[in-house]
């Protein structure tokens, strides 16, 4: 993702500060939103949470390294402040609820199922609300160059596509392919916004602050479309497949009944010996 951000910035010839915010977004770890979307796509939740946690931990060292490598073309990496406390808070906000959830599931599994259902719906709704509120509050930041709009639109899809293709290429099952695609394409846009606010002047923020919002909106739009398509597929195609399987089973059962029906109705096979109730009968 950092290299993709670097390549897109060079290809579209954006301003230096805009290139920096694009690369900062690419260097951010995955956000917890991917875990909620993964649940609705029937992905591998263990893998999703593990990838989010690992990327957040590795970001403590990898973000400064990647920023040093990719932003040296436009500016000194020393001018970019990495909010390590925000990364730590993100990690804690991910791991503490997981630990609580593991404890609840081990003690009260029925309650855990209800919490999971309510939490997944509430989390999905909260993601949409935050995106809408952010777009309303920062209306003045939307007047930017078309190149940023294009990059913000295609960048999430490139991440999702590359993650899925690489997972499929190495032979991962479909649920893991979906999970890896989500974890690759989803970036922590809130962390990116925090970094640019800490590192740049208000004048520079006017031409760069909208990009994290654009990216978060389109990564969410792609995720919502994927969830809708997948749930529709489950309701229509999988249901029809289950109905077909049930019809086949019914036909097989009927066929088996017909095959054994003659033997059951054949009185020649009814005798006390076969029933185990044979008794000596005097003629």
């Amino acid at each position: 993702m950092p290299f993709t951000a670097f390549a897109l910035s060079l290809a579209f010839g954006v301003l230096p500060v805009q290139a920096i915010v694009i690369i900062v977004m690419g260097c951010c770890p995955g956000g917890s939103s991917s875990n909620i979307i993964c649940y609705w796509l029937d992905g591998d939740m263990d893998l999703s949470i593990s990838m989010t946690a690992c990327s957040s931990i590795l970001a403590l060292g990898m973000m400064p390294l990647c920023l040093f490598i990719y932003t040296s073309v436009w500016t000194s990496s020393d001018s970019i402040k990495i909010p390590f406390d925000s990364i730590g808070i993100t990690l804690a906000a991910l791991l503490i609820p997981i630990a609580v959830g593991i404890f609840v599931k081990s003690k009260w599994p029925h309650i855990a199922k209800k919490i999971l259902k309510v939490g997944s719906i509430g989390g999905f709704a909260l993601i949409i609300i935050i995106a809408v509120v952010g777009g309303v509050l920062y209306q003045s930041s939307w007047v930017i160059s078309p190149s940023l709009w294009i990059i913000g639109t295609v960048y999430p899809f490139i991440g999702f596509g590359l993650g899925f293709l690489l997972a499929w290429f190495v032979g991962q099952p479909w649920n893991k392919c979906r999970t890896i695609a989500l974890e690759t394409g989803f970036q922590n846009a809130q962390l990116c916004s925090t970094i640019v606010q800490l590192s740049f002047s208000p004048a520079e923020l006017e031409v760069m602050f909208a990009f994290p919002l654009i990216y978060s909106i389109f990564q969410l739009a792609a995720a919502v479309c994927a969830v809708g398509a997948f749930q529709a597929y489950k309701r229509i195609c999988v249901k029809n497949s289950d109905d077909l399987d049930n019809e086949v089973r019914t036909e097989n059962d009927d066929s088996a009944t017909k095959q054994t029906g003659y033997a059951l109705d054949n009185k020649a096979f009814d005798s006390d010996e076969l029933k185990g109730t044979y008794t000596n009968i005097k003629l």
Side-chain angles (χ1 to χ4, degrees):
M1 293 297 283
F3 176 77
T4 303
F6 177 75
L8 288 172
S9 301
L10 289 179
F12 283 87
V14 296
L15 298 174
V17 290
Q18 294 174 336
I20 290 170
V21 72
I22 295 170
I23 294 173
V24 169
M25 175 62 75
C27 295
C28 285
S32 57
S33 301
S34 60
N35 307 134
I36 299 173
I37 302 299
C38 180
Y39 171 81
W40 286 103
L41 287 178
D42 290 349
D44 189 329
M45 289 299 296
D46 294 336
L47 177 62
S48 176
I49 294 170
S50 299
M51 290 183 69
T52 302
C54 289
S55 65
S56 298
I57 294 172
L58 293 173
L60 297 173
M62 292 303 297
M63 280 194 71
L65 177 61
C66 289
L67 290 174
F68 173 76
I69 294 173
Y70 291 109
T71 62
S72 58
V73 176
W74 294 282
T75 185
S76 173
S77 61
D78 296 335
S79 63
I80 301 175
K81 299 178 182 178
I82 307 297
F84 294 102
D85 53 346
S86 298
I87 298 175
I89 292 172
T90 301
L91 186 61
L94 174 68
L95 297 180
I96 292 175
I98 291 172
V100 174
I102 292 172
F103 176 76
V104 172
K105 187 175 182 180
S106 64
K107 295 292 184 181
W108 308 284
H110 297 293
I111 297 177
K113 289 183 179 179
K114 294 180 181 179
I115 294 175
L116 178 63
K117 186 173 293 185
V118 174
S120 61
I121 297 173
F124 193 73
L126 185 62
I127 292 173
I128 297 176
I129 292 171
I130 291 174
V132 173
V133 171
V136 173
L137 292 178
Y138 296 100
Q139 291 183 5
S140 60
S141 299
W142 297 110
V143 184
I144 56 175
S145 61
S147 58
L148 273 190
W149 277 100
I150 297 173
I151 294 173
T153 304
V154 302
Y155 192 13
F157 289 93
I158 293 174
F160 293 138
L162 288 177
F164 187 89
L165 289 175
L166 288 172
W168 172 78
F169 180 75
V170 298
Q172 294 296 316
W174 293 118
N175 66 328
K176 285 184 170 56
C177 289
R178 295 193 295 270
T179 303
I180 294 171
L182 282 174
E183 293 298 327
T184 304
F186 259 89
Q187 302 294 95
N188 195 331
Q190 294 81 10
L191 181 60
C192 178
S193 299
T194 303
I195 292 174
V196 296
Q197 288 183 74
L198 291 174
S199 304
F200 299 96
S201 65
E204 292 171 324
L205 286 175
E206 288 184 2
V207 295
M208 63 191 305
F209 189 72
F211 182 78
L213 299 176
I214 295 172
Y215 188 96
S216 61
I217 287 173
F218 281 101
Q219 75 175 0
L220 179 60
V224 171
C225 292
V227 169
F230 182 75
Q231 293 297 327
Y233 168 78
K234 282 178 61 179
R235 290 180 178 273
I236 299 173
C237 299
V238 176
K239 183 179 179 181
N240 292 339
S241 177
D242 291 340
D243 293 340
L244 181 61
D245 291 341
N246 291 331
E247 291 177 3
V248 171
R249 292 193 199 98
T250 303
E251 291 177 358
N252 291 337
D253 293 341
D254 293 341
S255 177
T257 302
K258 291 177 182 178
Q259 291 175 0
T260 58
Y262 178 78
L264 293 174
D265 293 335
N266 189 349
K267 302 301 181 181
F269 290 93
D270 288 345
S271 65
D272 292 334
E273 292 92 335
L274 294 177
K275 295 179 181 178
T277 58
Y278 173 77
T279 56
N280 290 328
I281 302 175
K282 294 182 180 179
L283 298 175

